[in-house]
Amino acid sequence: MSNDRTAELARAIDTLRDRRAVLRGAAVAGLAGVSVPLLAACGGGDDASSTPSSGGTTSAPTSAPTSAPSSAASSSSTPSSGGGGAVLGPVSDVPVGGGKIYDKIVVTQPAAGEFKAFTAVCTHAGCIVRTVENGTINCPCHGSKFSATDGSVQGGPAPAPLAAVQVTVSGGNILGPA
Ligand code: FES
């Protein structure tokens, strides 16, 4: 009887050893299985972080308006050479001595028939300028003022002038950049 019991115990011990081996293998396999996705996730995270983000809303002002030619604003007295872009609006929108804001472009008319255009995105923190009065283009956010003639800073915290934007006048309309 004791021999039977000894044999039974030996079999039980063997069985336990086998189970341990199986469990160890499973654990290693499990760890390996888990580590792969983690590594993949890290790799994906790195990829995601290296992908340039759109920068949210703050990047939009720096793209379109500032990518326009930075040469002096065009004058309307030059007929369109056919390179104009979309119609911003009729010339009559822009009062002499004032201006009109079209989305991210501000068009001014410092003197009759003399049109200037600049980005409407304030160089301080990216707000869109709101008014053109008394010779200045005015930002509502922190009070920056820019010359309606050349976009230079006339007051407030803005660190740089408004960049000129190329517009043309054709058929009584103001055309945006091509
Ligand atoms: Fe225009 Fe600050 S964003 S003054």
Side-chain angles (χ1 to χ4, degrees):
M1 185 155 181
S2 65
N3 281 346
D4 287 348
R5 194 157 195 190
T6 303
E8 194 175 309
L9 282 173
R11 263 184 270 130
I13 289 170
D14 283 348
T15 302
L16 284 174
R17 281 186 183 143
D18 288 348
R19 283 185 184 167
R20 270 191 181 167
V22 168
L23 287 174
R24 268 194 207 122
V28 169
L31 285 174
V34 168
S35 67
V36 169
L38 283 177
L39 290 173
C42 289
D46 289 347
D47 289 344
S49 65
S50 66
T51 302
S53 72
S54 66
T57 56
T58 57
S59 74
T62 59
S63 57
T66 55
S67 64
S70 60
S71 59
S74 70
S75 170
S76 69
S77 56
T78 305
S80 171
S81 60
V87 173
L88 296 177
V91 168
S92 59
D93 271 358
V94 185
V96 176
K100 169 82 174 171
I101 296 154
Y102 299 98
D103 194 20
K104 292 180 180 172
I105 296 174
V106 54
V107 179
T108 64
Q109 189 176 187
E114 180 192 354
F115 291 86
K116 304 284 185 177
F118 310 93
T119 174
V121 181
C122 181
T123 58
H124 176 232
C127 289
I128 300 297
V129 298
R130 182 169 294 163
T131 59
V132 181
E133 293 170 344
N134 301 320
T136 60
I137 300 165
N138 309 303
C139 180
C141 290
H142 312 97
S144 288
K145 294 179 179 294
F146 304 89
S147 166
T149 302
D150 63 12
S152 61
V153 177
Q154 300 297 302
L162 296 177
V165 172
Q166 189 74 35
V167 295
T168 55
V169 172
S170 178
N173 287 318
I174 298 166
L175 308 181

